[in-house]
Amino acid sequence: MNRRHCAAAAITLVCALGLLTVPVQAMAAPTPDSSPSPSASVSAPAVPSPAAPSSEKDLEKIREQIETLYRQAGAATDAYNLAEEQTKKQSGEIVKLAKAIVDGQARIAELKDRAGAQAREQYRNGGLPPGAQLVLSDDPQLFLDGVNKVRTSQQASKTVLAELTRTQEDLETYTQDASSNWHKLETNRVKQAKAKKKINAQIAAAEKLESRLAKEEQARLRQLEQDAANRAQSAWLATRPTPNIAVSGATTAAGKAAVAFATAQIGKPYVWGATGPGSYDCSGLTSKAWAAAGRPIPRTSQEQWRLLPRIDIQDMRPGDLIIYHADASHVGMYVGDGAIVHSPRPGRHVTLAGAGSMKILGVVRPDR
């Protein structure tokens, strides 16, 4: 690779870095699933007018549809958050590679100057190779001194050429890596846009369903939500050895700090993609709480489930994270006595809830 080609590559990458300062408007698409789009899979029922209140059966159907929409939005949000982390990482890699390219170009220029200086020195000696100059010398001492100088000069020349070759190869690798990372970054941007569109569509569909209800019906809908959660919690507790969940093992100082942080956020609104301080999504709350406790953990509930140590639900203690649903799309922090603190969904706030109020996938322990 000649200097002009390397310079062009570096300039292109450095200019491209300016785009990294633009806030990402959307994030990664969720893992493809077989569920139809909200408009196809969940059609709004014919909601009676406020003058004709909905029956309990109608409201229950609406509740289930809203729950499904928010569940789908939650899965898309988790993918969105994971893509955000990947985008940040790739952006950082591009910055490092661009610096390495610039440094490599400067080193190549320096080595070429040194090689040129050696060539000019030979020219000043009449253009004869050092070995020929020695043969022509009739002074034994000068001959011996010259032998050492020739060896030193030859070694220096070999060193310069070897380093020049190695630096040029490194520069080529840096350029290829930067191009690969840039391609990944742009691919993620496309996925992010799709994820954002899906999240917004699902949330809008759920909000539309609820907004068509009269205030009295909305209050009844909330009560149905609470009743469903209570039934699930009661059923879960019935499967436990004792009515109250016994904490197995002493809670660590880090676990106590994480719980303290999470419970201090109670009352703050759910906002998808948010990590505080004014609002949180579900994994934004848990990841921030454990970061505050000095134990950084993965950003998303799916990555928390995939990467953190898993424990038996019978052994959980305050600070442990309970992962919900088959797709690991929701997470809450166990606080003891069969309860969690979590950020439920759009339109709701960080709150306490029964640990068994949703379908449990498993439990992970960040400080194991």
Side-chain angles (χ1 to χ4, degrees), residues 42 44-45 47 62 65-66 69 205-213:
V42 184
V47 180
I62 293 171
Q65 290 177 316
I66 289 175
L69 286 166
E207 290 175 341
K208 182 177 180 181
L209 279 173
E210 192 166 358
S211 68
R212 293 170 64 185
L213 299 174

Side-chain angles (χ1 to χ4, degrees), residues 121-171:
E121 178 64 23
Q122 183 175 327
Y123 178 78
R124 284 194 293 270
N125 290 331
L128 293 174
Q133 294 175 27
L134 286 175
V135 171
L136 295 175
S137 174
D138 56 2
D139 186 327
Q141 185 60 46
L142 288 177
F143 180 86
L144 292 175
D145 291 343
V147 168
N148 291 330
K149 290 181 179 178
V150 167
R151 288 174 178 172
T152 302
S153 176
Q154 288 176 338
Q155 185 61 41
S157 296
K158 289 180 180 178
T159 300
V160 169
L161 291 176
E163 185 174 355
L164 180 59
T165 299
R166 185 171 60 253
T167 303
Q168 288 175 325
E169 291 174 348
D170 288 345
L171 193 59

